[in-house]
Each structure stands twice: as C-alpha cells, then as structure tokens.
Amino acid sequence: MPHVAADVLVSPLGARRVAVGDPSPVRHHRFVSDSKDKEPEVLFVGDSLVQLLHQFEIWRELFSPLHALNFGMGGDCTQHVLWRLQNGELDHINPKIIVLWVGTNNHGDTAEQVAEGIGAIVKLIHSKQPTARVLILGLLPRGKSPNALRVKNARVNQLVQEALPSLPGASFLDVDPGFVHSDGTISHHDMYDYLHLTRAGYATVCQPIHTRLLAMLEQHKI
C-alpha cells in the first residue's frame, strides 16, 4: 500500500461508513464486483455529481461510447473515495483515464485539507494504475447566493492547480461554465437544489469533459 498521510487513511468518516452498515458498503462491493466483468477505458469516480450523471441521457450519449464506468457515490468526501480505491475498486480494471470529481462534501475540512485529500487520491491512483491519466474536475460553486462554501471550493480549485506539478499523470479541468450570475445567484434551472445539476446543467458541464476525454484518449494512442 502506498504511503499516504495517516489522518487521511484512518479518517473517522471513512471508518464510520463501513461500521454502521449503511447502503454505501453494498454499493462499494457492487463496484468491485462490476469491475471484474468490465474493461473500461474511462472511469468516473466521485460523489453524487458523478453518480447522478449516470441517470441522464447525456451519459449514454457522450460517455458510454467511450466505454466509461461510473463509480460515483452520493455523500462521498475525499476520504471515502480514497478508502474505496484502496479497497478493491481499482484492482480488476485498467482504465486509460480516471475522472475524479470529489471534495464539495468535505464540509468540516479546510480548503487546504480538501486539496490534500484530492492529491492523496491521485497519488494512490498512480501507485495502483501507473499508466492511467487522471482528470481532476474543478469543484462547482454552490448555494443560491454567495456563501463561504463557494469561496472554499474556489480556493480548493486554485490549490489543486498549484499542486499539479507534484501530482503524477494528473491534469485539471474547470467545468464551471459561469453558473453564478452577475447578481451572485445560481439558477435552479442549472442546479435544482443549488448543488446538484439539472439536465441542462449536466449538458453544459459534460461537453467540455467529453472534448477533453477525446483528446486524452487520442493522445494515449500516440
């Protein structure tokens, strides 16, 4: 197992997920089982923004043709994703690209801690899948009106981009098309609860992801 900061490995949040018997372990084991029968070229990993994407037609239009697999889990923080990847979800597949979208649920952590958690995940991926490229998606703004979580998410994005030289095989993509209007608000037409994306919101976000993935897959052939 690669060396990762101890506070990330033994996070009480991660431990509680397995201990209390909520549905998440069942979903994790399903991911591990599914991975034994699949040969994805692209793997999406993250929280509910990844999980819910699978329910929209745009997943089938843009990402299914890329042989993509979706390991999104609602409520996940960085430590949950780290635990899942340490415990089997990467053991039976060899994707060319892993798309990572997580961090907005880390309410109790500072921007620095969230960025460090994302970095720990990238380094773990590299240790298990050294030939895979990692595409880190930027955290989106959230909340109907300006708030501290928006500020923190923007800071996380900045810190992750600054850390890229130390993150092997990783690149960053800002997927915010401008959800915050000139008056500082976010429309429920883009985020129905000012966090999760609507069909229109996903359509806007997914196009640049698809474009980047096509370019990365083409580069992988060279």
Side-chain angles (χ1 to χ4, degrees):
M1 181 179 293
H3 174 73
V4 188
D7 60 334
V8 179
L9 278 172
V10 298
S11 162
L13 283 174
R16 190 185 317 127
R17 158 150 288 166
V18 180
V20 299
D22 68 344
S24 301
V26 175
R27 191 171 182 85
H28 163 68
H29 292 308
R30 195 182 83 206
F31 288 161
V32 175
S33 177
D34 285 351
S35 70
K36 297 177 182 179
D37 303 320
K38 303 290 195 308
E39 295 182 2
E41 293 199 2
V42 179
L43 173 67
F44 282 72
V45 179
D47 54 33
S48 58
L49 288 171
V50 173
Q51 179 182 347
L52 294 174
L53 170 58
H54 194 260
Q55 301 178 13
F56 287 87
E57 183 63 29
I58 198 162
W59 174 267
R60 291 176 287 279
E61 291 176 357
L62 298 183
F63 303 122
S64 291
L66 302 183
H67 306 288
L69 201 56
N70 187 308
F71 283 178
M73 193 177 291
D76 263 12
C77 300
T78 54
Q79 56 267 41
H80 299 134
V81 171
L82 186 69
W83 184 91
R84 291 200 278 125
L85 298 185
Q86 286 170 333
N87 288 275
E89 291 186 12
L90 289 180
D91 291 356
H92 307 289
I93 53 177
N94 187 30
K96 296 176 181 176
I97 302 169
I98 298 175
V99 181
L100 177 63
W101 205 8
V102 70
T104 197
N105 291 325
N106 286 66
H107 301 304
D109 298 323
T110 66
E112 289 73 17
Q113 290 170 326
V114 179
E116 288 173 6
I118 292 171
I121 295 169
V122 173
K123 291 173 183 176
L124 175 67
I125 290 172
H126 183 68
S127 72
K128 286 180 169 287
Q129 301 279 348
T131 63
R133 302 281 302 280
V134 181
L135 179 61
I136 305 168
L137 303 184
L139 302 186
L140 295 175
R142 53 182 295 171
K144 182 177 181 179
S145 304
N147 62 83
L149 289 177
R150 277 194 205 172
V151 175
K152 188 174 84 169
N153 282 3
R155 177 62 176 159
V156 170
N157 291 342
Q158 179 186 357
L159 291 169
V160 169
Q161 291 178 82
E162 292 174 355
L164 282 177
S166 66
L167 301 179
S171 59
F172 179 90
L173 180 63
D174 181 0
V175 293
D176 176 18
F179 284 130
V180 178
H181 297 176
S182 59
D183 62 356
T185 64
I186 290 175
S187 171
H188 70 276
H189 295 294
D190 295 318
M191 299 180 184
Y192 60 86
D193 59 355
Y194 307 107
L195 171 61
H196 297 99
L197 295 166
T198 62
R199 184 185 304 273
Y202 272 121
T204 306
V205 163
C206 287
Q207 288 296 338
I209 299 173
H210 182 251
T211 299
R212 176 68 71 88
L213 289 177
L214 288 178
M216 293 174 72
L217 288 169
E218 187 63 29
Q219 187 178 33
H220 199 278
K221 298 177 183 178
I222 300 175

